[in-house]
Amino acid sequence: MSLLTPHADGKCRCPWCGTDPLYVAYHDTEWGVPERDDRALFEKLLLDGFQAGLAWITILRKRDNFRRAFDGFEPEAIARYDSAKVEALMADAGIVRNRAKIEGAVLSARAYLDWQARGRSFSDLMWSAVDGKVRANRPKTLADIPAQTPQSVKLSKELKALGFKFVGPTIVYAAMQACGLVNDHLVDCHRAEPGA
């Protein structure tokens, strides 16, 4: 017997997405789906950094504004941001206006470009945390899902050493979940199976 209550469409979902159509769509089509594109991984890592201390739905509702304000999360563009651009972002009500996070995004973009200049793939760096394979954890309840893991602690240290900002172990684990490095959909959720 499922511990989850089916939604109106008959599908059981992780309770964190509630019934908000935007959140349900994110749950069903993005969260936990393996992402291997360098730029998309970079975007999700930055957005998880902006989410720190806030509910993810807040970021999700502002994501299109973030994409507009941050030049589609193109690292080459963000790395060139100067103090005038930071001030413009601080005045943009469509995003989370936190100076440390905005300045951290610029430094992270520069770290990303430095990594790529070595001929290295950001995707390979991120996926090295799980040896390149999705880790399906199959939790039964939300209480079974950790805030961080030894893998996120290790990856966090690696990212910090490279110059990335707002990449603590909890933020990194949230990014690992969002990018499908780990599948933390509850066992009774219709998205629990890898690749579902």
Side-chain angles (χ1 to χ4, degrees), residues 91-107:
D92 189 335
I95 66 168
V96 173
R97 295 178 288 182
N98 178 298
R99 186 176 302 277
K101 291 177 181 180
I102 291 169
E103 291 174 347
V106 176
L107 294 173

Side-chain angles (χ1 to χ4, degrees), residues 31 41-42 44-52 56 108 122 125-130 146-161 164-182 184:
W31 196 77
L41 285 163
F42 176 71
K44 288 186 177 184
L45 183 63
L46 286 192
L47 287 174
D48 272 305
F50 274 99
Q51 185 251 333
W56 177 247
S108 292
F122 188 63
L125 173 63
M126 292 290 288
W127 280 88
S128 69
V130 290
Q148 58 182 266
T149 63
Q151 293 79 19
S152 75
V153 170
K154 181 175 181 288
L155 181 56
S156 169
K157 287 178 182 174
E158 291 171 352
L159 290 165
K160 287 178 181 177
F164 286 82
K165 302 299 179 187
F166 287 91
V167 288
T170 300
I171 290 170
V172 168
Y173 193 66
M176 290 170 68
Q177 292 172 310
C179 298
L181 281 71
V182 294
D184 273 343

Side-chain angles (χ1 to χ4, degrees), residues 2-46:
S2 175
L3 297 174
L4 304 181
T5 304
H7 284 221
D9 62 4
K11 294 179 179 177
C12 290
R13 293 177 172 87
C14 301
W16 55 259
C17 70
T19 57
D20 182 301
L22 181 65
Y23 224 178
V24 169
Y26 174 75
H27 170 275
D28 284 3
T29 63
E30 289 188 63
W31 196 77
V33 174
E35 179 61 72
R36 294 186 184 266
D37 177 77
D38 282 2
R39 196 220 48 84
L41 285 163
F42 176 71
E43 174 181 335
K44 288 186 177 184
L45 183 63
L46 286 192

Side-chain angles (χ1 to χ4, degrees), residues 64-181:
D64 287 342
N65 292 329
F66 268 107
R67 287 174 172 161
R68 171 195 46 78
F70 281 87
D71 295 289
F73 286 100
E74 290 297 336
E76 295 82 1
I78 298 171
R80 292 192 301 269
Y81 288 0
D82 57 14
S83 58
K85 176 64 174 180
V86 170
E87 291 307 319
L89 290 168
M90 285 296 294
D92 189 335
I95 66 168
V96 173
R97 295 178 288 182
N98 178 298
R99 186 176 302 277
K101 291 177 181 180
I102 291 169
E103 291 174 347
V106 176
L107 294 173
S108 292
R110 292 173 184 164
Y112 174 99
L113 294 177
D114 287 346
W115 180 251
Q116 282 203 324
R118 300 184 202 180
R120 309 295 296 272
S121 158
F122 188 63
S123 178
D124 288 348
L125 173 63
M126 292 290 288
W127 280 88
S128 69
V130 290
D131 298 323
K133 298 175 191 165
V134 176
R135 182 165 296 189
N137 292 324
R138 302 188 58 76
K140 290 187 172 76
T141 69
L142 292 178
D144 296 332
I145 302 173
Q148 58 182 266
T149 63
Q151 293 79 19
S152 75
V153 170
K154 181 175 181 288
L155 181 56
S156 169
K157 287 178 182 174
E158 291 171 352
L159 290 165
K160 287 178 181 177
L162 292 170
F164 286 82
K165 302 299 179 187
F166 287 91
V167 288
T170 300
I171 290 170
V172 168
Y173 193 66
M176 290 170 68
Q177 292 172 310
C179 298
L181 281 71

